[in-house]
Structure formats: C-alpha cells, structure tokens
Amino acid sequence: MIRVARDFRIKGNPVSSELFGNGHINTTYKVDCDNGREYIIQKLNTNTFKDPHMLMDNLAAITSHLKKRTDNKREVLSLVKAESGASHVIDEDGGFWRAFEFVTDSVCLQRAETAEDFYESAVAFGRFQNLLIDFPTHTLGETIPDFHDTVKRYAAFKQAVEQDVCGRAAGAQREIEFVLEREDFASIFVDYIASGQVPLRVTHNDAKLNNVLFDKNTRKGLCVIDLDTVMPGVVMNDFGDAIRFGASTAAEDEKDLDKVEMSLELFEAFVKGFLHTCGSSLTQLEIDLLPTGAKMMTLECGMRFLGDYISGDTYFNIHYETQNLDRFRTHLKLVSDMESKWEAMHEIVNKECR
Ligand code: ADP
Ligand code: GN1
Ligand code: MG
C-alpha cells in the first residue's frame, strides 16, 4: 500500500497507512506522511465500475467545475496525480488506484448526532446540486448504467431469486414477498423521465450522510465526496438516498428492528436544509415527489441488499455472513414506517416549500 502511495505526487514521505471509512464498494486507506500531510488512497472496485478511465474523466471534470465556483479549497475533493502524470496508478496485480488530498480537519459521520448535523448535510447536498446546475450533462459518462432505474433493478432482483444460486431464497420468503408486493411503485420515476415531466439533472446518486465531510470545528457541512456515481439522474433520488440512510434512527445493518424508524424530526431537518438551499431551482413536481424519492431509494437499496444476499454477496462489501440480509430488514422496516408516515412527510414538504 505504501508502495502504491509512493507512485503518487504526494508531498512528504508516506510512513503509515490504515484502512479507512465505511464504504461498501471501494477500498479506502488513509496515508500519513512524515511531514504531517494526510492523503486518501483508494483502490477502485473495477467489478462495480467497469470503465475506470471514464470514471476518472468524470471526476476530473466535476471537481474542476466545482473548484471554479468556490474559493474554499476544502469544499471540493482534490485529486492527486500519479508520478506518471496520469490520474491513477495500476499496481502489479492490475489494481486501479487513485489518490485525494485528505480534507483537513474534517469528520465523516455514520449517523447524525443531532438534527442540526443532518440539516448541515442537506445544505451540503443542496449546494452541490446548485453548483452543478450549469454543468454540461451530456459530457458525463454513465459509470454504472441504469443505476437508479428501479424497474430494471426489479428485473435483476427477480432473476436473482429465480436463480437462487446459494439456496438462500427459501429462508427469505417473507422479505422477497415484501419487495414483490411493491413492484408497481418502481416505475414512477422511470415513467416521469420518459414523458419528460421530470428533468434529468447532474445528481450525486449516492447521497448518504457518510458521503459528506463536516468541518471538525464548526460542524458545518463541508465537502461532498464519493463522486463516482455523479451522473444524470433525478433530484428526488438524491434526497431519497439521504433520507434512507440519515433519517433512520439506527445503523443500516441494525439487528434490533425496534430501534429502526424513519424519524420525522430528521426528515424535517433534511427537507429544510435541502429546500432552503436548492429548492428555488426545483420544479413543483420535483418537490412534490420528494417523499416518493425517500421511499423509492429505500425500497430500491433494500432490494439491492436482499438481491445481493440471495446472489451470494458479490456486490456490497460484507463483514459477516448475513449482513446484507440485516441491511435489507432495516430497509423493510423503514419502507413500512414511511408508508405509515406518508401524509406527515408530505405535510412537512408542503410547509417548507412555501
Ligand atoms: P466508497 O465508495 O467505498 O464509499 P468513499 O469515497 O465514500 O468510498 O470513501 C470512504 C470513506 O473515506 C468516506 O466515507 C470518508 O470517511 C473517507 N474519505 C474519502 N475521501 C476523503 C477525503 N478526501 N478526505 C477525508 N476523508 C475522506
Ligand atoms: C454503496 O460506496 P458507498 O458505500 O458510498 C452503493 C450505493 C448504496 C450504498 C448503501 C456504487 O455506497 O448505491 O446506496 O452503498 N454504491 C454503489 O449504503 O453501488
Ligand atoms: Mg462512500
């Protein structure tokens, strides 16, 4: 790992490295240098991201666009070039690596400690949306095709259940039923996009709380990270992903489902931060569909976890055998909870958009 770090133009001598963060896809290390400088060095998951060169081109274009629109260096990810001048390093095993400057004095939260934290993350995602509003969408490559096409996600899910390669489907019948009963819901955004009623914007597509860095001292939302899935998409999905993860009262893989709830207090905090920051650039239909985004992303992500469990855990990193099933179960609970709080969610959105 340190050897890979030396292939990047980092300032100082790398002396130690540690696995870092809680990402489910890439492998992330923090590297410390003898002069106190810190870097993030990541091995990109090329099973997930099949065209890493295109992804790095996207990343360079997005970060350079963002940098032109802000004076604060810590608000935007800074890529570090390889000694070769390229944006990446390929190791002897063919691993694809890239490096970022560590955003100094930042913290990453797995859970909002207060509603204010969550509000701040909404402001960060809202600002991100605003800053990219004039980004030339057509120049971005699709790093994962059909990433949030929930209809196609259903097709893949049903195929996984049918193939049942690990024989796990029988033990997850109740969970599978829960997903299948909601299949009609899946086409809502796909249909709105097809009819042109909802615009495709440049969206993050993985807008969860741990993809925002906070300023350690002020606790303000600072920098949106994990830009690998920035692609054309619908804004309701960014809102929805943020709610799925951050408005939950428990961890994504909490086993005690009594602890799992979609907190209306946290929901409201996010709605406020998001709409106050980027609400004026959204259409009324997009705003009206924000609660639908929350349910859509929770259902879709849950289904992806369950599908991965049934397929033998080939996509999301896991740390124990039934982790993807546990992740699904929290999502089942959250979807049910959103269904019972549906009107209250709409009332909050209506109140804040006036
Ligand atoms: P993944 O795609 O696997 O989620 P991320 O890009 O989100 O990978 O990085 C994983 C974690 O590493 C983040 O949640 C965050 O804690 C940390 N991280 C990533 N980039 C930086 C950075 N430039 N500065 C500080 N921390 C970072
Ligand atoms: C993955 O990489 P990470 O951990 O930020 C996944 C998201 C899921 C999320 C669930 C490229 O995000 O789509 O919503 O896990 N990223 C990819 O926590 O599939
Ligand atoms: Mg991440």
Side-chain angles (χ1 to χ4, degrees), residues 10-251:
I10 60 182
K11 296 184 181 123
N13 201 13
V15 284
S16 66
S17 70
E18 53 168 340
L19 270 171
F20 199 74
N22 274 293
H24 297 336
I25 304 292
N26 298 318
T27 311
T28 303
Y29 295 87
K30 176 168 181 276
V31 170
D32 292 306
C33 294
D34 54 358
N35 57 1
R37 285 184 182 260
E38 305 163 308
Y39 293 91
I40 286 285
I41 308 229
Q42 270 181 334
K43 187 174 180 191
L44 198 74
N45 184 330
T46 49
N47 286 325
T48 302
F49 299 109
K50 307 235 182 281
D51 189 344
H53 298 280
M54 177 242 268
L55 183 151
M56 292 308 290
D57 288 347
N58 279 2
L59 194 53
I62 294 155
T63 50
S64 110
H65 180 98
L66 293 172
K67 273 183 205 292
K68 283 186 208 134
R69 280 153 180 78
T70 168
D71 298 329
N72 185 353
K73 201 171 169 289
R74 293 164 66 233
E75 275 178 25
V76 185
L77 277 179
S78 290
L79 278 164
V80 180
K81 282 203 165 150
E83 287 293 359
S84 66
S87 62
H88 63 277
V89 164
I90 309 265
D91 69 21
E92 60 268 30
D93 302 319
F96 191 104
W97 296 80
R98 40 78 186 293
F100 298 101
E101 285 176 21
F102 190 91
V103 177
T104 50
D105 293 325
S106 67
V107 280
C108 178
L109 304 177
Q110 300 309 318
R111 300 266 306 283
E113 282 165 26
T114 60
E116 187 63 22
D117 284 342
F118 201 38
Y119 173 90
E120 280 301 322
S121 75
V123 171
F125 280 120
R127 198 165 56 224
F128 184 78
Q129 179 57 239
N130 283 344
L131 294 176
L132 288 171
I133 207 126
D134 59 341
F135 186 94
T137 316
H138 64 278
T139 60
L140 278 181
E142 234 190 329
T143 55
I144 303 181
D146 304 319
F147 190 54
H148 285 317
D149 183 325
T150 314
V151 172
K152 291 197 175 141
R153 293 283 184 188
Y154 258 91
F157 175 76
K158 288 198 282 189
Q159 194 181 20
V161 173
E162 209 173 282
Q163 291 174 342
D164 192 19
V165 290
C166 302
R168 288 176 166 178
Q173 275 312 309
R174 189 180 68 93
E175 288 81 358
I176 293 168
E177 281 303 312
F178 182 92
V179 172
L180 295 181
E181 277 162 13
R182 284 158 182 78
E183 187 167 5
D184 285 352
F185 184 80
S187 60
I188 298 179
F189 293 164
V190 175
D191 292 345
Y192 273 125
I193 296 167
S195 66
Q197 282 169 280
V198 161
L200 281 179
R201 302 177 182 274
V202 177
T203 50
H204 186 280
N205 296 304
D206 189 4
K208 59 178 174 174
L209 183 71
N210 68 11
N211 285 330
V212 176
L213 300 178
F214 291 75
D215 186 302
K216 196 162 83 185
N217 301 311
T218 65
R219 203 74 174 192
K220 296 273 176 212
L222 181 64
C223 177
V224 172
I225 61 169
D226 202 345
L227 306 179
D228 299 335
T229 50
V230 175
M231 289 182 279
V234 297
V235 71
M236 298 83 78
N237 285 341
D238 276 2
F239 174 89
D241 229 349
I243 297 300
R244 168 193 79 76
F245 187 87
S248 172
T249 50

Side-chain angles (χ1 to χ4, degrees), residues 290-331:
L290 292 178
T292 305
K295 181 171 161 186
M296 189 71 73
M297 282 301 95
T298 311
L299 181 63
E300 181 192 278
C301 191
M303 172 169 62
R304 291 170 62 200
F305 286 140
L306 183 58
D308 197 34
Y309 171 73
I310 291 168
S311 306
D313 307 308
T314 59
Y315 187 87
F316 295 105
N317 293 337
I318 51 163
H319 302 103
Y320 61 92
E321 197 178 300
T322 54
Q323 192 171 14
N324 273 321
L325 184 59
D326 289 341
R327 287 170 176 156
F328 170 75
R329 288 182 172 147
T330 62
H331 285 60

